DNA sequence: AAAGATTGAGTCCTCAATCTTC
DNA sequence: GAAGATTGAGGACTCAATCTTT
């Protein structure tokens, strides 16, 4: 471990820390406002911007980066809250199409305003160019890891 | 929701996606190599670089951004694997000091090499300046959210 | 057989309560 | 009483197995 590379792993650590802290801050803000969790906003927002305002469990899971299993149960909860509905897909009777309800659209709107305000406050010192640049670098990062090179020799440790 | 701000929330989404994908990729890589999880590496690395190579549960939890509760159980597991040890703190009999064992240092070394290789591969197209710049922006982001402005009116929704 | 979706078992996190020591 | 740490209860995610439809 000794020489401790200064660059890339430090950046990675900054990434993990930023994610943990920003996520916590946003989450607290939403909770304090009596709004549903960040994940709920994500789900509703993803549905809302979808082509027909409806997506299948599969697609939803892929967008939000969740396993289909987790998404199935997640939809259970959000549906129980009355924010989305499961409809049978006329084209494929195996599939369900998830749609946002009236109430769902309402909480999405309120949550969205709240998020915009939170970010506007926190990023007050940022120029638009800086924000855009950061987003681009993050997309680039994701892309670079998407086509991850399948790596060399497996070690033997097994916890 | 209508006008859909283009800037900040898009950047936020890029952030969430990048985190989810990179985390998954690194995790798969470590697992495929028969190495312990990303969180284990984090814990061991944090201990290893600490002043005396030892930290208390509290401090460890703060560093890794985990609740003290979760950290207590986490240490249970990692200790059961033989990678760390709980020692009584001579200065304060309430506290435990967590130290890395020989075996822990070994897996940390192997995991570290693996991580460095993974990042070197994925970030092959990045210059050192770009990596450093990204890290700086991420630190700035975390800082800006750390002193989050306590926000306006609570809404009334309650899922 | 393969894909969409769900259910069961196991793991791990969070919140609240508790125990010991300061 | 407050702080360090742990334990109990509940929620939420993952993997593997299952059921239905293609």
């Amino acid at each position: 471990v000794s020489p401790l590379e200064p660059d890339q792993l430090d950046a990675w650590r900054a990434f993990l820390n930023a994610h943990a802290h920003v996520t916590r801050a946003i989450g607290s803000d939403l909770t304090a406002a009596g709004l549903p969790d960040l994940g709920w906003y994500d789900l509703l927002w993803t549905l809302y911007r979808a082509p027909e305002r409806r997506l299948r469990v599969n697609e939803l899971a892929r967008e939000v980066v969740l396993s289909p299993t987790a998404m199935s149960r997640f939809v259970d909860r959000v549906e129980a809250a009355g924010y989305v509905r499961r409809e049978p897909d006329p084209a494929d009777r195996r599939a369900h199409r998830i749609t946002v309800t009236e109430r769902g659209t309402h909480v999405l709107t309120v949550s969205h305003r709240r998020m915009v305000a939170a970010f506007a406050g926190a990023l007050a010192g940022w120029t638009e160019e800086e924000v855009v640049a950061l987003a681009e670098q993050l997309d680039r990062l994701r892309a670079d890891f998407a086509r991850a090179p399948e790596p060399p020799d497996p070690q033997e440790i097994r916890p």
Side-chain angles (χ1 to χ4, degrees), chain A residues 3 16 27 44 58 70-71 74-75 79 104 114 116 129 134 139:
Chain A
L16 286 183
L44 293 173
N58 255 341
M71 183 52 75
F74 193 9
V75 171
E79 186 176 28
R114 190 84 189 188
V116 169
E129 287 77 18
L134 179 57
D139 272 334

Side-chain angles (χ1 to χ4, degrees), chain A residues 3-138:
Chain A
L4 275 191
E5 323 287 330
D7 312 318
Q8 299 178 334
L9 286 192
D10 281 0
W12 170 239
R13 210 141 275 277
F15 191 23
L16 286 183
N17 271 312
H19 177 266
H21 283 106
V22 177
T23 287
R24 262 182 150 72
I26 296 287
S28 301
D29 181 55
L30 289 175
T31 303
L35 287 166
D37 195 55
L38 196 59
W40 292 49
Y41 168 79
D42 256 36
L43 188 152
L44 293 173
W45 187 83
T46 303
L47 279 177
Y48 189 84
R49 62 151 193 183
E52 291 287 338
R53 299 262 159 96
R54 53 193 88 229
L55 284 173
R56 299 194 281 183
V57 178
N58 255 341
E59 306 167 324
L60 208 41
R62 215 170 314 134
E63 290 280 334
V64 184
V65 191
L66 220 58
S67 69
T69 301
M71 183 52 75
S72 180
R73 296 196 231 258
F74 193 9
V75 171
D76 285 347
R77 302 192 293 273
V78 182
E79 186 176 28
Y83 297 161
V84 301
R85 215 185 344 258
R86 264 181 251 242
E87 297 178 347
D89 186 337
D92 184 341
R93 264 181 303 178
R94 294 173 299 180
H96 289 164
R97 298 190 307 182
I98 318 298
T99 73
V100 189
T101 64
E102 197 83 25
R103 284 190 67 193
T105 307
H106 178 243
V107 294
L108 174 59
T109 306
V110 178
S111 297
H112 186 78
R113 273 203 283 268
R114 190 84 189 188
M115 298 271 297
V116 169
F119 275 91
L123 301 187
W126 294 57
T127 68
E128 180 166 336
E129 287 77 18
E130 286 174 327
V131 174
V132 171
L134 179 57
E136 282 171 355
Q137 294 297 67
L138 289 167

Side-chain angles (χ1 to χ4, degrees), chain A residues 148-154:
Chain A
E150 211 47 60
D153 54 304

